[in-house]
Amino acid sequence: MNHTNPQLNKHGELQHLITIEGLPRDVIVRILDTAAPFTALAHEEEKKLPLLRGKSVFNLFFENSTRTRTTFEIAAKRLSADVINLNINTSSTAKGETLLDTVDNLAAMQADMFVVRHAASGAPYLMAQHLAATGRNHISVVNAGDGRHAHPTQGLLDMYTIRHYKKDFSNLTVAIVGDILHSRVARSQIHALTTLGVPEIRVIAPKTLLPTGVERMGVRVCNDMREGLKGVDVVMALRLQSERMLGALLPSPQEFFKSYGLTAEKLALAKPDAIVMHPGPMNRGVEIDSAVADGGQAVILPQVTFGIAVRMAVMSMLAGN
Ligand code: CP
């Protein structure tokens, strides 16, 4: 582990992917550039490359997932890795085995990479630290979402999507709308957008759904959605994370939709060619109206497709390719 940035090895190469915070711009750009040729692979009859042949990738999802788990599996298989999906519900976690004991046992099965989603912020970092402390630096950890902390591959696939449609980050205004407080996706997006030089990032939310001091991340706070959407190039809607809400932060989902739901009428305030993104899963009629989610400006399903190529890029770089 490199002590300045524990995700990089002593040669400055990616060893783990835990967070976008502190990741050098050139590493982010290299991931996006590496992903580009992988998108074309989806249209080929032969979709496999040998870059992870002989490697074992363990998917450890302690929280539910549709997009991230599946696209990591597809990505690893396209790179010719052996993929093992640990079913947490039927694993010995249910009998009280600790995370690090699980890691030790899977490492003893010659794991090369762990892709981990966990409700506890910091769980992937703990795993990476443990592997380093026990001399198993050759095993990489990829954070697939930890608590409210980070969801780096989501942030990266979002950047890939923006670059695909908008080409250049240096003249964009990007709005992130909704439950910023509980969102690991928002944190990863903000770190990526600032590192890539987006000049204006707005976060649009009621005060109860904003982290204290969010301005210090380099964003402009808007409590009024109509004001916040004016003239933006990209709108990133976020899911209202009811499962993470302690106490009543909102009067009701219906009230939230009235003020902060993305409707065609509110979207009309953005630039006419603005794109609409959402990491999924969507709560239709809560943070986004179906007419927008399924409309011509939405790039929500392309985000999912790009996620395969971006995850292929991350895994192949971690494997030293
Ligand atoms: N965007 C995202 O993380 O979706 P899943 O929870 O389905 O993986």
Side-chain angles (χ1 to χ4, degrees), residues 61 63-71 117 144-145 151 154 157 184-185 239 278-281 304 311:
F61 278 67
E63 270 192 345
N64 294 346
S65 168
T66 296
R67 282 145 288 270
T68 312
R69 200 203 63 73
T70 314
T71 52
R117 170 169 290 191
H151 192 347
Q154 180 69 46
L157 75 89
R184 54 196 177 208
V185 173
R239 183 172 71 86
H278 193 303
V304 177
R311 288 173 175 129

Side-chain angles (χ1 to χ4, degrees), residues 229 257 261-270 288-293 297:
L229 286 181
F257 183 69
L262 187 60
T263 59
E265 178 247 323
K266 289 188 200 122
L267 180 60
L269 296 163
I288 191 164
D289 190 49
S290 278
V292 175
Q297 288 171 264

